[in-house]
Amino acid sequence: MPQHRGRLAALLLLAGAVLSCRAPEPPRPPPRVVLWAWERPEDLRFLEGQDVEVSVLLATLRLRPSRFLTFARQQPIRLPPGLRPCGTVRLEMQEGASLARYSPEQLREVAQRLTDLARVRDVAMLQLDFDVRESEHEAYLALLRETRELLGPSRRLSITGLASWCVAGGFVERAPVDEVVPQLFRMGPESPTWRERFARGPVASCGDSVGLAMDEWHVPPQGPSTLYLFNPHPWTRDALARAMTDLKP
């Protein structure tokens, strides 16, 4: 009996030694980085040779009760040769208007305009930036379905959103999109709470992408797989270098 116990102890020690010698997990790869380029002159030619993408503001659609107006980008943007950007379109409801009161025909017309903007600029992905109200959730989902159908399979569809959308059972779970980008800035008093939740890793409904601002710089410790960066000032090589240094695993 003592012999058996001795053998068992030796086996346990050997197993412990094997487990302790397991190779450490490989470091998490750096996130995919996308710079938002809003309505201002931007010279991003310094990005040539860097593993960084750009999402250009294509236009702003101002939706009124019975029609909408398109304000195309007016400011110049310079990109490195061969860089195919993503395209962001800002949707704004004008006073007295609600997407919930748009007819199916009107929603289809908006979706067609969004698709036309994506095709004219030949963007790799179309992203919608819309501060949708709770009463407009179903109408927004209908607009996204129309847009998804018209875009076809060759272009991805993304939306930005509020951190508060990223809860189990939230309406974005039904959104026919490839990506939801919660913006972890300009959140007011709730900012620390939501940043802490996202620091623990991907959040329900929103996958693993987040948007951060250079003037409220806070990189989630777990590191998202895709990181969109907003800069209140024009992008420069130095500003990007500071951000990329903080993103190194």
Side-chain angles (χ1 to χ4, degrees):
M1 193 70 168
Q3 258 186 336
H4 292 298
R5 288 179 180 171
R7 288 176 185 170
L8 179 59
L11 287 172
L12 290 173
L13 286 172
L14 180 60
V18 171
L19 289 173
S20 66
C21 293
R22 286 174 57 187
E25 292 186 8
R28 186 182 178 95
R32 167 179 167 250
V33 175
V34 187
L35 307 186
W36 272 313
W38 293 98
E39 184 66 272
R40 65 186 177 209
E42 289 277 15
D43 187 348
L44 301 176
R45 289 175 293 179
F46 67 85
L47 294 178
E48 186 170 6
Q50 300 197 49
D51 190 18
V52 175
E53 301 175 42
V54 177
S55 190
V56 177
L57 180 70
L58 302 179
T60 298
L61 267 58
R62 293 179 180 166
L63 285 69
R64 295 182 174 180
S66 59
R67 62 191 180 100
F68 64 90
L69 302 175
T70 304
F71 294 86
R73 181 186 185 91
Q74 298 296 308
Q75 301 297 329
I77 182 165
R78 295 181 175 183
L79 300 172
L83 189 151
R84 188 187 184 199
C86 302
T88 300
V89 177
R90 170 71 179 165
L91 303 179
E92 295 180 351
M93 299 304 306
Q94 299 296 281
E95 186 176 355
S98 171
L99 198 67
R101 293 195 289 271
Y102 266 44
S103 67
E105 292 74 23
Q106 287 176 300
L107 293 176
R108 183 79 174 185
E109 187 179 356
V110 174
Q112 185 64 65
R113 180 62 55 84
L114 294 171
T115 303
D116 291 343
L117 288 166
R119 288 174 177 166
V120 167
R121 290 298 301 266
D122 190 28
V123 294
M125 180 179 75
L126 175 64
Q127 182 179 77
L128 305 187
D129 181 50
F130 181 37
D131 303 326
V132 60
R133 294 167 288 198
E134 185 174 356
S135 60
E136 299 170 314
H137 285 178
E138 294 304 319
Y140 192 35
L141 290 172
L143 175 62
L144 292 173
R145 287 191 291 268
E146 292 281 4
T147 306
R148 174 72 279 168
E149 178 186 341
L150 292 171
L151 273 180
S154 62
R155 288 184 177 83
R156 300 174 70 228
L157 181 59
S158 168
I159 60 173
T160 66
L162 304 178
S164 58
W165 295 359
C166 301
V167 294
F171 83 99
V172 294
E173 287 187 341
R174 296 181 284 133
V177 298
D178 300 291
E179 175 187 64
V180 179
V181 185
Q183 301 183 60
L184 302 187
F185 58 97
R186 310 292 191 269
M187 294 188 293
E190 295 185 353
S191 178
T193 300
W194 282 103
R195 282 180 173 170
E196 182 181 347
R197 291 187 63 178
F198 278 86
R200 296 194 290 267
V203 177
S205 306
C206 288
D208 198 13
S209 300
V210 298
L212 300 179
M214 295 296 292
D215 59 339
E216 295 183 22
W217 194 232
H218 174 85
V219 181
Q222 293 297 322
S225 64
T226 300
L227 183 59
Y228 284 80
L229 300 183
F230 168 76
N231 193 343
H233 308 290
W235 282 105
T236 64
R237 189 187 302 272
D238 288 345
L240 179 61
R242 289 195 299 272
M244 297 301 282
T245 298
D246 289 342
L247 295 176
K248 288 181 180 178

